[in-house]
Amino acid sequence: MTEQLALHSAFAIPNSQFATPVEINDLTVAYRDKPVLQDVDLSFPEGKLCAIIGPNGAGKSTLIKTVLGLVPAAAGSVRIYGKPYVEQRRLVGYVPQRGSVDWDFPTTALDVVMMGTYGKLGWVKRPGKAERDAASHALRQLGMEQYAERQISQLSGGQQQRVFLARALAQDARIYFMDEPFVGVDALTEKAIITLLQELRAQGKTVIVVHHDLDSAPEYFDWVALLNVKLIAAGPFDTTFTSDNLRRAYGGAMTAAIKHFAHFEEDMKSEVRSKK
């Protein structure tokens, strides 16, 4: 990780201490005149592991795809460190849902990871030894170096996910968006993912993850945005991940489940009291 941190100095962000990593203002997205996101105002803090949580159809994946310019907005604006995404794209890494990727495409794991270096090369320059070394290093960090020359179609689901995480790592971004990276992976891969996220946070990177598992969320993340078409609440877990906010996000159908998660409030309150 220290090697990549040193590389980042060449891509420093001017006056970044005065800019918000991701700022979303009055964002509305609609499919066939039906709002998928409505009037969302949301800013993600620097250097935190952030979760986007909400029920199916809440617009979680749509939110990050709109930030990345993959889905058009009907209204509103998005800024990355105070500028439009198109001006800051090399500062942003993206790990899509595994199910949205064509895994039958004939390419190796190493080639996929090297794609993460293309943003810094531009349209003309071809990847060379430095880019290959960076890709190999990223694969090694995720325990995938021995699969570098393996066709991605021959990898397991967890291995494929680690390859895509390595691609994002090779990009050496400042902000990482990940769309449900824990879905369908084995325990070893889940551990590798959370270890990587924690290392990115230690470097001061901002990581924003669409997440569905309420049980693991308080353990994995520092900060949460609860979403259901509209923003329900956002902030640190100890003040935001409450049974009241969960009920507002998920509705009456989640009442029984919310009772199960109500202990999080008491646990976090007890922890805060013990620190005073």
Side-chain angles (χ1 to χ4, degrees), residues 12-186:
I13 306 160
N15 298 320
S16 64
Q17 66 268 33
F18 302 115
T20 302
V22 181
E23 186 172 0
I24 301 167
N25 294 306
D26 297 324
L27 186 67
T28 294
V29 178
Y31 292 148
R32 296 181 180 177
D33 298 326
K34 179 183 178 181
V36 180
L37 293 170
Q38 188 170 359
D39 300 328
V40 174
D41 289 298
L42 179 61
S43 295
F44 290 98
E46 180 118 55
K48 300 292 185 183
L49 297 184
C50 306
I52 303 173
I53 292 175
N56 291 337
K60 304 182 297 296
S61 296
T62 298
L63 179 65
I64 63 174
K65 288 178 180 178
T66 306
V67 170
L68 298 171
L70 301 174
V71 171
S77 64
V78 175
R79 291 290 183 270
I80 305 295
Y81 287 109
K83 296 181 180 180
Y85 168 73
V86 293
E87 298 180 24
Q88 304 279 52
R89 66 173 70 241
R90 71 178 181 178
L91 302 178
V92 180
Y94 174 46
V95 179
Q97 288 187 18
R98 199 171 65 83
S100 67
V101 177
D102 179 9
W103 296 107
D104 292 325
F105 188 79
T107 188
T108 66
L110 183 63
D111 287 338
V112 170
V113 178
M114 275 200 295
M115 292 176 189
T117 67
Y118 289 179
K120 295 175 183 177
L121 291 174
W123 292 102
V124 179
K125 190 176 179 182
R126 296 175 63 85
K129 184 179 184 301
E131 289 72 32
R132 190 177 182 86
D133 288 347
S136 296
H137 180 65
L139 283 170
R140 185 163 56 251
Q141 287 178 281
L142 282 152
M144 289 294 294
E145 187 178 26
Q146 66 269 37
Y147 299 99
E149 300 304 326
R150 186 79 59 89
Q151 291 286 313
I152 57 170
S153 60
Q154 298 173 352
L155 300 175
S156 70
Q159 290 168 341
Q160 290 171 344
Q161 188 70 299
R162 279 189 270 173
V163 167
F164 259 63
L165 286 161
R167 183 185 71 165
L169 193 61
Q171 186 176 341
D172 191 28
R174 289 298 302 165
I175 304 166
Y176 290 91
F177 288 93
M178 302 184 184
D179 198 350
E180 303 216 32
F182 298 103
V183 169
V185 301
D186 55 84

Side-chain angles (χ1 to χ4, degrees), residues 2 68 93 134 191 276:
T2 53
L68 298 171
K191 183 178 179 180
K276 290 182 179 179

